[in-house]
């Protein structure tokens, strides 16, 4: 009798090429290890002293940054569990614009403590239940720990914006935060701050000079000059066309029979008259500025110059929409004279030279504009990109303020306070949930620990000092005690975090952690498509006829 060899599990169930990892193979442990890996990459980049990472993407473009959102976008991650975590982080970026790295770092720490609980013999459902109870307690507690709020967008905004920017650009946060606040104040309507749109703040990077030469322009700045001879206009109507400003060409080919030279001259003259007539109609409508979303023909440009009309070509459809926003114009898909309703108005259009680059500025002189542009200067392209990311984070953090204007103490103070209070809550909870809640509290120590380590201080000593400073429940000054990253002392640093952003980050981290913990099996299909064969060189010379 022949010996029958055992087959692989599920061999007859799935198509050939499937791979399956179950709990018995240590699927949860592997998932935790994968998350730990991505968390450790982002961990050292957290906070004002966070280290930079060099990322070279598949196109060979280099990024030198400590911004978590940029790293996540550029890293091509294939692990399905880590992708769940990245989805949570991207949701935080989309909704709040800040604390994307906190989501991943906290989730990584929650999974670390969960792994230890699993090795002690706790069930996954008991850990998830404990984490959910602790998270509910955190959401209620955060409301009680509020120390300040943004009463006015005109005076207090810098309190919320400055800490966000200092986490990315420590040392120049004063300059950048003033630029961001000025830009936001010129766009936001004081009577209705909720109408603020993040897309209303644009950034233009111009190489040269230094960051201190950066400025805010009420309106839009385009890093190109107008096409024609007219470069500056004041108080004018604006017509915006999405179609090319040129002689219209037919979609089908046609043949024209010309009998003599006069007919040929008349044929081209008809086109010229048609263009002249169109430019005259635009001029008669009162529009002295034409914005083209596509090409501008040379002949059309000649006639527009003849009537003294400024022509600017804007190839980006998004920028075209923003011009319409600034001027109040309607983009027209047809050529011809615009109606008074379709035209917009602009106070000043000027062409300036900034650092060797010619730029066109659309500026509204009224008290509030729909769009503001921050023109940033710097020595290197990489530095400009990094400052732009810091500005984007600063502007996006206002999303959280619009939802809730309350502020929490920063610099690791709130995490230590939460850790202390969750531990106390865990003591009063009966059953095995107590273990999960206490471990959940321990995970919050990761923030002050990373802040201390990246600043060059002993994390154990800093955390024990912070616990001592937060020991008195009734002392509100103790609540504000965070880490001063310059001296290593525990004191009231004046750093504040937005309540809504912090709540969202913790909530998303817990949700992602519970989702990952509840996975006990990964079943992966074989990737579609066969192996890519390397192209063989063809015999013979490269320019030889086939």
């Amino acid at each position: 009798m022949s010996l029958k060899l055992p087959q692989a599990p599920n061999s007859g169930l799935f198509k050939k090429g499937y791979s399956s990892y179950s709990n018995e193979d240590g699927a949860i442990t592997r998932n935790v290890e994968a998350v730990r890996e991505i968390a450790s990459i982002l961990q050292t980049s957290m906070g004002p002293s966070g280290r930079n990472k060099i990322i070279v993407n598949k196109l060979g473009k280099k990024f030198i940054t400590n911004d978590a959102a940029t790293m996540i976008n550029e890293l091509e991650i294939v692990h399905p569990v880590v992708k769940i975590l990245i989805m949570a982080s991207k949701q935080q970026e989309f909704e709040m614009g800040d604390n994307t790295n906190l989501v991943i770092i906290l989730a990584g720490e929650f999974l670390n403590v969960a792994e230890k609980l699993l090795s002690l013999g706790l069930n996954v459902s008991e850990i998830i239940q404990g984490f959910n109870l602790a998270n509910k307690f955190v959401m209620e507690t955060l409301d009680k720990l509020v120390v300040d709020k943004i009463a006015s967008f005109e005076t207090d905004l810098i309190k919320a914006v400055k800490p966000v920017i200092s986490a990315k650009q420590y040392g120049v946060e004063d300059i950048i935060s003033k630029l961001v606040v000025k830009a936001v104040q010129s766009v936001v309507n004081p009577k209705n701050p909720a109408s603020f749109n993040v897309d209303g703040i644009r950034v233009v990077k111009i190489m040269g000079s230094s960051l201190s030469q950066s400025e805010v322009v009420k309106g839009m700045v385009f890093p190109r000059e107008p096409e024609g001879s007219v470069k500056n206009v004041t108080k004018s109507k604006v017509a915006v066309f999405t179609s090319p400003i040129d002689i219209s060409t037919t979609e089908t080919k046609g043949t024209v029979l010309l009998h003599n030279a006069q007919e040929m001259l008349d044929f081209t003259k008809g086109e010229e008259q048609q263009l002249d007539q169109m430019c005259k109609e635009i001029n008669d409508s009162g529009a002295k500025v034409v914005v083209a979303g596509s090409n501008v023909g040379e002949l059309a440009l000649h006639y527009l110059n003849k009537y003294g009309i400024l022509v600017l070509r804007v190839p980006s459809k998004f920028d075209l929409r923003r011009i319409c926003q600034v001027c109040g114009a309607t983009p027209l898909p047809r050529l011809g004279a615009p109606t008074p309703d379709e035209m917009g108005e602009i106070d000043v259009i000027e062409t300036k030279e900034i650092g060797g680059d010619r730029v066109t500025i659309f500026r509204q002189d009224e008290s509030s504009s729909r769009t503001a542009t921050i023109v940033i200067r710097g020595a290197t392209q990489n530095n400009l990109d990094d400052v732009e990311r810091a500005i984007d984070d600063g502007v996006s953090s206002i999303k959280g303020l619009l939802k809730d204007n309350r502020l929490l103490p920063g610099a690791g103070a709130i995490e230590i306070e939460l850790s202390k209070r969750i531990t106390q809550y865990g003591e009063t909870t009966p059953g095995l949930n107590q273990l999960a809640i206490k471990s959940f509290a321990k995970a919050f120590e990761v923030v002050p620990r990373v802040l201390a380590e990246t600043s060059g201080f002993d994390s154990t000593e800093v955390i024990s000092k912070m616990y001592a400073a937060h020991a008195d429940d009734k002392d509100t000054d103790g609540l504000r005690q965070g880490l001063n990253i310059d001296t290593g002392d525990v004191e009231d640093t004046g750093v504040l975090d937005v309540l809504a952003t912090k709540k969202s980050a913790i909530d998303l981290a817990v949700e992602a952690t519970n989702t990952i913990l509840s996975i006990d099996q990964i079943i992966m299909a074989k990737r579609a498509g066969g192996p890519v064969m390397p192209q063989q060189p063809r015999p013979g010379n490269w320019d030889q006829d086939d």
Side-chain angles (χ1 to χ4, degrees), residues 166-187:
S166 66
K168 301 278 181 296
Q169 290 286 321
Y170 189 60
V172 289
E173 71 272 17
D174 285 326
I175 299 169
I176 301 173
S177 49
K178 278 174 188 166
L179 289 170
V180 170
V181 169
K182 189 178 175 185
V184 171
Q185 285 170 348
S186 62
V187 170

Side-chain angles (χ1 to χ4, degrees), residues 49-190:
S49 307
R51 307 288 185 267
N52 284 346
K53 303 275 188 284
I54 294 182
I55 294 169
V56 183
N57 68 4
K58 60 184 175 185
L59 302 172
K61 189 179 177 187
K62 285 187 278 293
F63 294 84
I64 304 173
T65 180
N66 63 354
D67 182 46
T70 308
M71 288 187 231
I72 288 166
N73 281 333
E74 297 307 325
L75 293 170
E76 284 190 86
I77 288 162
V78 293
H79 198 288
V81 170
V82 178
K83 278 186 176 178
I84 293 168
L85 197 51
I86 285 170
M87 279 160 63
S89 184
K90 283 187 174 174
Q91 187 61 26
Q92 173 75 4
E93 174 72 10
F94 175 71
E95 283 187 25
M96 297 294 175
D98 187 32
N99 274 356
T100 44
N101 54 354
L102 185 66
V103 175
I104 292 179
I105 290 165
L106 270 182
E109 202 63 21
F110 289 149
L111 286 166
N112 268 345
V113 296
E115 189 183 25
K116 287 170 188 166
L117 291 172
L118 285 168
S119 63
L120 288 172
L122 259 75
N123 197 332
V124 169
S125 58
E126 288 164 345
I127 297 170
I128 291 173
Q129 199 179 351
F131 279 11
N132 282 334
L133 283 171
N135 188 37
K136 191 180 173 189
F137 175 76
V138 166
M139 294 300 127
E140 291 165 3
T141 308
L142 282 172
D143 291 331
K144 299 171 191 169
L145 302 178
V146 172
V147 290
D148 205 342
K149 66 178 182 178
I150 302 293
S152 158
F153 258 59
E154 292 172 359
T155 54
D156 298 345
L157 200 56
I158 201 150
K159 282 195 265 186
V161 172
K162 194 173 171 183
V164 175
I165 290 169
S166 66
K168 301 278 181 296
Q169 290 286 321
Y170 189 60
V172 289
E173 71 272 17
D174 285 326
I175 299 169
I176 301 173
S177 49
K178 278 174 188 166
L179 289 170
V180 170
V181 169
K182 189 178 175 185
V184 171
Q185 285 170 348
S186 62
V187 170
V188 80
N189 181 354

